[in-house]
Amino acid sequence: MTNSILAITMMAIVSTSGLKNEPMESTSSWNKNKVIAHRGAWKKKGLPENSIASLKEAVRLGCYGSEFDVHMTSDSVLVINHDPEFLGMSIPGSTYSQLLEKKMTNGEQIPTLEAYLKEGMKQKKTKLILELKPSKISTARDLQMTKKSVDLVKALKAEHWVDYISFSYDILKEVLVLQPKANVAYLNGDVSLEKMKEDHFYGADYHFSVYKKGDWFAKSKELGLTLNAWTVNTVDEMNWLLDNEVEFITTNEPELLFETIKSRK
């Protein structure tokens, strides 16, 4: 009886520990570099930002990650676009079918999150960095968008591809409720590393200027958190971050960042 009770107790401890945020299992095939293409790799080839084409280009370049932004239409379809307006149309104020009336410069229509994830899952080298954009409508709507997004990631079995970022701390905390082992990183620059560690975040994803005050680099390594810096587009900024061994750099110039990294070897 004693042995049985001990076994049950150990199982409960293991089960409970699994509820905390542990980084998603690593896949050996992921690219081993610091380069995250901001809205995909779009600038050099003149591709539309947040398009399937810019995602494919980020994959072709061999970026560690391709970042993209998620919004929700008035009929609750999850779509990819940086701003809450798509070619002059309000995303939260439009139905998905209304948004399809517009086309990007390369002929693409606004991608759905489902289409974007399915395209990204055709490979296992570039991670998909999913930014959940808070709306100006209500917190309830933001949490609805969050749940729909996480549910879709899980339904597609895309957990190993997707990391989550957001300017909303509440959105990221909700992600961890829905997917406890998800990697989440906060964007807004106003929360300490200690607080993020306490809340089981993967790390901070702040504008690079934030890291110029304080001991972010040493403290993050002490706490076992990652640092990502956005949006880094000059060689001087890149070199400063590389000198400080930052884990990730988000940039509109992934080609330049690759060249900078290569020149340091």
Side-chain angles (χ1 to χ4, degrees):
M1 177 66 72
T2 302
N3 289 340
S4 298
I5 293 172
L6 178 60
I8 292 170
T9 302
M10 291 302 294
M11 289 174 64
I13 292 171
V14 171
S15 175
T16 302
S17 67
L19 294 176
K20 294 183 178 181
N21 183 37
E22 300 165 356
M24 292 297 298
E25 295 176 23
S26 62
T27 300
S28 59
S29 61
W30 300 126
N31 292 316
K32 306 298 189 296
N33 59 63
K34 301 174 182 289
V35 184
I36 296 178
H38 186 225
R39 309 177 197 172
W42 53 272
K43 188 174 181 180
K44 188 168 185 178
K45 290 193 171 182
L47 301 171
E49 301 173 18
N50 272 310
S51 62
I52 296 292
S54 68
L55 167 61
K56 289 181 177 179
E57 181 64 7
V59 171
R60 188 192 71 79
L61 288 172
C63 297
Y64 168 79
S66 186
E67 182 266 355
F68 58 100
D69 307 279
V70 176
H71 297 267
M72 191 165 68
T73 66
S74 64
D75 54 346
S76 300
V77 176
L78 300 170
V79 295
I80 310 301
N81 196 62
H82 181 261
D83 298 323
E85 292 81 33
F86 175 67
L87 299 177
M89 299 181 71
S90 164
I91 294 175
S94 303
T95 64
Y96 175 60
S97 61
Q98 288 173 327
L99 294 176
L100 292 180
E101 297 170 7
K102 300 278 189 175
K103 289 187 177 181
M104 302 182 195
T105 54
N106 68 343
E108 281 188 46
Q109 294 172 310
I110 190 168
T112 62
L113 175 58
E114 181 174 1
Y116 198 97
L117 293 176
K118 286 181 175 178
E119 181 62 39
M121 291 174 68
K122 291 178 181 178
Q123 52 81 47
K124 292 185 178 181
K125 293 184 179 297
T126 297
K127 297 273 281 187
L128 308 177
I129 313 300
L130 191 164
E131 180 176 345
L132 290 158
K133 287 283 194 178
S135 70
K136 296 181 179 179
I137 298 175
S138 68
T139 300
R141 182 173 175 82
D142 290 347
L143 297 181
Q144 180 191 4
M145 175 189 67
T146 302
K147 185 176 189 308
K148 285 180 68 70
S149 298
V150 175
D151 284 350
L152 179 59
V153 167
K154 292 161 77 171
L156 294 176
K157 302 186 185 306
E159 293 96 329
H160 292 301
W161 279 263
V162 175
D163 290 353
Y164 299 90
I165 59 176
S166 182
F167 280 95
S168 166
Y169 205 81
D170 288 338
I171 281 177
L172 294 174
K173 288 176 70 174
E174 182 67 11
V175 169
L176 290 177
V177 171
L178 299 166
Q179 187 184 327
K181 292 185 178 181
N183 291 337
V184 304
Y186 182 55
L187 291 165
N188 206 43
D190 58 354
V191 172
S192 71
L193 290 172
E194 289 84 358
K195 173 62 175 171
M196 284 183 275
K197 178 70 173 181
E198 178 185 335
D199 289 333
H200 310 297
F201 280 34
Y202 183 57
D205 190 347
Y206 289 169
H207 189 267
F208 68 89
S209 62
V210 174
Y211 301 137
K212 294 191 173 183
K213 297 179 180 179
D215 59 346
W216 292 92
F217 302 106
K219 180 63 70 174
S220 65
K221 289 172 175 56
E222 176 187 325
L223 294 173
L225 298 177
T226 61
L227 292 184
N228 187 3
W230 57 268
T231 297
V232 182
N233 296 323
T234 72
V235 172
D236 286 346
E237 292 162 358
M238 292 172 183
N239 274 320
W240 175 71
L241 290 161
L242 293 168
D243 287 343
N244 282 285
E245 299 180 347
V246 74
E247 280 76 21
F248 307 111
I249 297 174
T250 297
T251 179
N252 292 332
E253 307 277 2
E255 299 88 352
L256 178 61
L257 180 51
F258 275 120
E259 291 170 8
T260 303
I261 292 171
K262 184 177 179 180
S263 72
R264 294 167 59 91
K265 294 181 179 179

